[in-house]
Amino acid sequence: MKGTKVPQKISIIKPDDWHLHLREGDILKKVLKYSAKNFSRALIMPNLKKPILTYVQAEKYRREILKYLPKGSKFNPLMTLYLTEKTNPKDIKSLKVNELISAIKYYPSGATTNSTYGVKNFEKVMPVMEQMAKFNIPLCIHGELPGENYDIFDREKIFIEKVLDKIRSRLPDLKITLEHITTSEAINYVKSTKKNLGATITVHHLMINRNHIFDRGIRPHYFCLPIAKRKSHQKDLIQTATSGDRRFFLGTDSAPHLSSKKESDCGCAGIFSTPYAVPFLAEIFDKKNKLPNLEKFVSLNGARHYNVKVNVERLNLIKKNEPVRLKNWIRAENDKIVFFGSEFKLYWTTEREKNAKKISREN
Ligand code: NCD
Ligand code: ZN
């Protein structure tokens, strides 16, 4: 029949988000359901105002997250610890035994939101990282070298040269995730390695480049760290994410902030992308004719890197004939949190499991 296209439906293993900021209190309460809807698991970042430094703090934080989950949700928050120059190498062995901690997070001090407790000199954390290599605990790295000597657009490249490469040559057995990569240099570095190095890519770095931040005015909701780079880097990121290469996988780095903190004379870094992250990825893979690789990027490659089982739950994605109406923001702490993506066209949606089952039976 003329003009009546049947919506396209695909079913994939329910995704994992290998880099997520959930915050705490009211923000956590408001944002968590969006992760639970489209993701089975997420690696939860420890950069709270009071960072998660110990096993006991991580256990308590995980309990708080579970308390706010929607009824019946099987969402599994995987916990991380915040690495500081005071972290005791002797504590690492026991972390392996009780399995609560999936990774330890390396923030170069001053590189991003709540990173002041992070690492100034990597030599100081070598003994901890040695133990992590020995006991097989992965290290997640925010790969930027901060400071006024380094241009903000070069900080990722410089970190790789001055820090990451040195850590890797001294500890080849340490499993590392280079997080939220934004440059062709990072892609090439990861591709040049054979084992123990993977990288996460965010949805927003696939959708925006640095011009979007200054499009007819300054756009605080496109400001995140690492900052979006030139369009050529964005193109390389899209090519890499959609290629299916097992070293690259999704970590949204979804980082909710109150609008009043972002729309300010010193607006903070972070983009809240969870609600439409998976549908936008379907859009990107679809446009590149790479939908068959979507499941690798969102559900398989990360599980393989972290050496965990792939999820059992599934998620259905549906392509509508008309663009989907996108929500702009939600209320939190008497303020609002703005969603990433509402200016972009989106034809894909996800279906909750109940409906998803119905759809697969109809097929
Ligand atoms: C993150 C945050 O707000 O916690 N911000 C960001 O711009 N990505 C921290 C981080 O991962 O850099
Ligand atoms: Zn982050």
Side-chain angles (χ1 to χ4, degrees):
M1 253 190 300
K2 209 178 153 203
T4 48
K5 269 198 288 166
V6 181
Q8 194 180 338
K9 295 168 191 168
I10 59 169
S11 163
I12 60 169
I13 294 166
K14 200 169 178 186
D16 292 317
D17 182 352
W18 290 104
H19 183 128
L20 175 65
H21 300 271
L22 283 176
R23 317 301 189 201
E24 51 206 311
D26 196 42
I27 297 185
L28 166 62
K29 207 164 144 185
K30 300 289 166 57
V31 302
L32 181 60
K33 65 175 183 196
Y34 296 101
S35 286
K37 182 181 175 203
N38 287 339
F39 296 94
S40 266
R41 296 175 288 210
L43 191 64
I44 311 302
M45 291 299 119
N47 65 331
L48 303 185
K49 278 180 205 133
K50 194 168 167 242
I52 304 294
L53 302 174
T54 66
Y55 178 89
V56 173
Q57 287 170 328
E59 208 176 26
K60 184 164 166 252
Y61 184 32
R62 188 166 191 276
R63 272 203 304 274
E64 189 190 357
I65 297 168
L66 294 178
K67 188 173 84 188
Y68 290 132
L69 268 179
K71 266 215 177 81
S73 168
K74 296 193 194 108
F75 178 76
N76 184 5
L78 307 174
M79 307 312 286
T80 59
L81 286 189
Y82 191 118
L83 177 65
T84 77
E85 292 181 0
K86 292 191 179 127
T87 305
N88 189 341
K90 292 200 186 106
D91 291 343
I92 300 302
K93 185 178 174 186
S94 66
L95 291 181
K96 188 68 200 174
V97 178
N98 39 45
E99 287 186 348
L100 175 82
I101 304 301
S102 297
I104 295 182
K105 174 74 189 233
Y106 180 126
Y107 287 104
S109 180
T112 188
T113 308
N114 297 340
S115 64
T116 44
Y117 304 91
V119 179
K120 288 201 172 88
N121 174 359
F122 79 89
E123 295 288 353
K124 297 250 172 72
V125 292
M126 276 307 286
V128 177
M129 294 193 295
E130 276 161 22
Q131 292 300 300
M132 291 171 66
K134 184 166 168 200
F135 294 105
N136 235 330
I137 295 181
L139 179 72
C140 294
I141 300 189
H142 182 113
E144 287 193 291
L145 206 54
E148 57 191 38
N149 294 335
Y150 306 121
D151 187 281
I152 188 167
F153 293 99
D154 297 335
R155 286 175 188 174
E156 184 171 279
K157 190 176 73 184
I158 294 170
F159 182 90
I160 292 171
E161 287 161 19
K162 288 193 186 293
V163 184
L164 180 58
D165 197 50
K166 290 187 181 143
I167 296 175
R168 292 197 64 255
S169 65
R170 281 163 62 181
L171 291 172
D173 292 334
L174 178 61
K175 182 172 291 186
I176 295 178
T177 315
L178 182 57
E179 302 211 88
H180 40 51
I181 57 166
T182 56
T183 56
S184 309
E185 288 85 354
I187 294 170
N188 293 338
Y189 184 75
V190 174
K191 281 187 179 169
S192 74
T193 64
K194 288 219 166 46
K195 60 175 193 131
N196 287 334
L197 182 65
T200 54
I201 300 178
T202 75
V203 180
H204 49 274
H205 289 117
L206 297 174
M207 290 175 63
I208 63 169
N209 58 66
R210 63 191 194 176
N211 293 292
H212 290 85
I213 310 169
F214 307 105
D215 181 22
R216 288 163 290 150
I218 192 151
R219 310 262 176 176
H221 297 285
Y222 288 157
F223 176 52
C224 65
L225 289 167
I227 196 162
K229 309 296 191 297
R230 286 178 182 275
K231 194 171 182 177
S232 57
H233 295 280
Q234 182 193 5
K235 276 190 174 162
D236 279 354
L237 289 168
I238 295 173
Q239 201 283 327
T240 303
T242 58
S243 72
D245 187 321
R246 63 168 65 135
R247 291 165 289 193
F248 301 91
F249 47 94
L250 175 64
T252 64
D253 191 17
S254 180
H257 287 282
L258 297 177
S259 275
S260 56
K261 300 249 168 71
K262 289 195 66 68
E263 298 165 12
S264 123
D265 57 0
C266 185
C268 59
I271 291 178
F272 178 52
S273 64
T274 305
Y276 302 117
V278 176
F280 271 125
L281 286 170
E283 198 79 37
I284 293 162
F285 279 65
D286 190 13
K287 279 207 186 98
K288 288 276 160 200
N289 273 321
K290 295 284 187 183
L291 274 177
N293 286 341
L294 178 63
E295 192 178 54
K296 293 182 191 153
F297 184 67
V298 300
S299 317
L300 298 176
N301 295 351
R304 190 190 169 101
H305 172 77
Y306 282 104
N307 210 3
V308 293
K309 286 195 179 128
V310 298
N311 297 313
V312 177
E313 291 178 284
R314 299 187 70 82
L315 185 73
N316 277 7
L317 288 150
I318 296 137
K319 187 178 185 181
K320 306 274 187 194
N321 291 328
E322 300 294 325
V324 180
R325 274 179 71 100
L326 302 182
K327 221 173 164 166
N328 283 330
W329 54 273
I330 45 166
R331 208 171 279 288
E333 288 185 7
N334 294 321
D335 197 333
K336 54 183 194 175
I337 296 171
V338 170
F339 288 15
F340 174 76
S342 53
E343 312 76 16
F344 291 80
K345 273 222 169 90
L346 178 63
Y347 288 87
W348 286 88
T349 61
T350 55
E351 288 282 328
R352 280 173 206 281
E353 254 127 82
K354 262 197 298 183
N355 301 343
K357 264 190 209 134
K358 221 161 76 196
I359 284 159
S360 58
R361 261 186 259 124
E362 276 167 11
N363 283 345

